[in-house]
Amino acid sequence: MIPTSTTSNDTAHAPDPLLEPPGCGLLIVGCGNLLRGDDGVGPILVRHLWDRGMPDPVRLADGGTAGMDVAFKMRGAERVVIVDASATGAAPGTIYRVPGAELAELPPLQGLHSHSFRWDHAIAFARWALADECPDDITVFLIEAADMTLGADLSPAVAEAMEKVIDVIERDFVAPLRPEPPTDPDALTVEFTDDGYLRLSAALAASRFPADVAVASLRDGELWLLPLRGPRSGGLLLKQRNPAGDRAVLVREVLADDIPAGRHPATWDSEHGALRIPLEQK
């Protein structure tokens, strides 16, 4: 007689766990059409923010290609920032900052389709679809467009205004979420491996190298590691090496295969914006 399991039925009929959205501290959405000049300022701004490197609580979304999906991504977000172009007749590059309190009364969802999905549609749709789970803290930045013709680049006025909006978003929304640089000397200790990798702690990498890209150079018996903005700048990639978020970057070629394997103290040079590591053997 073959014994039967007393646990298989329990497992088979166990209820599936409720899957909750991951949520985030801040969702930044860029709305607009990349193919139509200044109308693409929102998605282009999001790409610039991605190049800077965003801390873990921040999520970026291109609302120009997935508007309704972005509305659902608002669920679980503590704060939402939306950037879009405007066409009010004002001077090109004029910036409007619309606080959440002024967004309570939005036009109804009439004639909505994916090709005309704008920031006001995203908010109205999110409030309709998510109800009480729609975030209350929503801020909209609008940049007055100069040229929305097909195939055009960003106009100079809009490009300049975009940089100003990036600075405001960094200062008012992103900076409070960035990790503080470590002050514990152990956190500033780095390790060279025999195969030419430099290992950094998660705290050091997140605070000083948010885009996970750096350039390395030898100066007066030290290895200098300087952060870059995004992989489009070239440089060396800091790769995640464990679930804790520690990073490793290959510096063997910079050191000409003369690897000072072992742990070394490091200092952050604020004047030059570089991590400086003495290379004497330990």
Side-chain angles (χ1 to χ4, degrees):
M1 183 175 183
I2 301 175
T4 57
S5 170
T6 59
T7 60
S8 60
N9 288 339
D10 294 337
T11 301
H13 295 288
D16 293 331
L18 180 62
L19 298 178
E20 293 293 342
C24 61
L26 173 64
L27 173 67
I28 304 174
V29 183
C31 294
N33 188 339
L34 282 168
L35 301 179
R36 291 193 172 275
D38 291 338
D39 192 40
V41 65
I44 292 173
L45 179 143
V46 164
R47 284 158 172 75
H48 279 259
L49 289 176
W50 181 82
D51 277 346
R52 286 178 173 230
M54 293 290 103
D56 286 340
V58 179
R59 282 193 293 162
L60 304 174
D62 182 345
T65 58
M68 292 189 183
D69 181 53
V70 167
F72 285 110
K73 286 181 180 179
M74 291 186 190
R75 183 183 178 192
E78 296 178 17
R79 307 179 78 184
V80 176
V81 171
I82 297 174
V83 181
D84 199 0
S86 60
T88 66
T94 299
I95 299 170
Y96 303 92
R97 179 170 178 167
V98 186
E102 299 183 18
L103 302 175
E105 299 297 330
L106 289 171
L109 292 170
Q110 294 179 348
L112 176 64
H113 57 85
S114 60
H115 296 290
S116 63
F117 205 96
R118 306 298 299 191
W119 67 269
D120 51 348
H121 294 137
I123 296 175
F125 183 76
R127 286 179 174 161
W128 172 78
L130 304 180
D132 293 340
E133 294 183 287
C134 181
D136 294 325
D137 190 339
I138 301 175
T139 301
V140 177
F141 290 92
L142 301 175
I143 300 175
E144 187 71 12
D147 184 2
M148 293 189 181
T149 56
L150 186 65
D153 295 326
L154 285 186
S155 64
V158 170
E160 181 180 355
M162 179 187 71
E163 294 296 336
K164 293 178 180 178
V165 172
I166 288 175
D167 290 342
V168 172
I169 292 175
E170 174 66 35
R171 181 194 69 205
D172 294 351
F173 297 91
V174 177
L177 300 176
R178 290 196 182 278
E180 292 292 331
T183 57
D184 183 355
D186 289 339
L188 284 171
T189 299
V190 299
E191 180 185 4
F192 290 98
T193 65
D194 291 330
D195 53 353
Y197 279 90
L198 175 66
R199 293 178 174 178
L200 290 73
S201 69
L204 178 58
S207 60
R208 297 303 190 187
F209 302 91
D212 288 331
V213 186
V215 61
S217 66
L218 292 176
R219 302 187 186 184
D220 299 325
E222 294 181 331
L223 177 69
W224 285 34
L225 199 65
L226 299 93
L228 294 177
R229 284 190 177 178
R232 288 187 293 182
S233 303
L236 306 172
L237 294 178
L238 279 69
K239 301 178 181 179
Q240 185 168 338
R241 52 179 292 264
N242 58 29
D246 297 333
R247 295 294 196 267
V249 54
L250 186 62
V251 294
R252 183 179 61 236
E253 291 186 4
V254 179
L255 298 176
D257 290 326
D258 184 14
I259 313 299
R263 297 179 65 80
H264 293 249
T267 58
W268 179 258
D269 185 334
S270 298
E271 180 180 357
H272 296 94
L275 185 71
R276 298 173 58 172
I277 308 157
L279 295 177
E280 65 269 15
Q281 293 285 345
K282 296 296 179 182

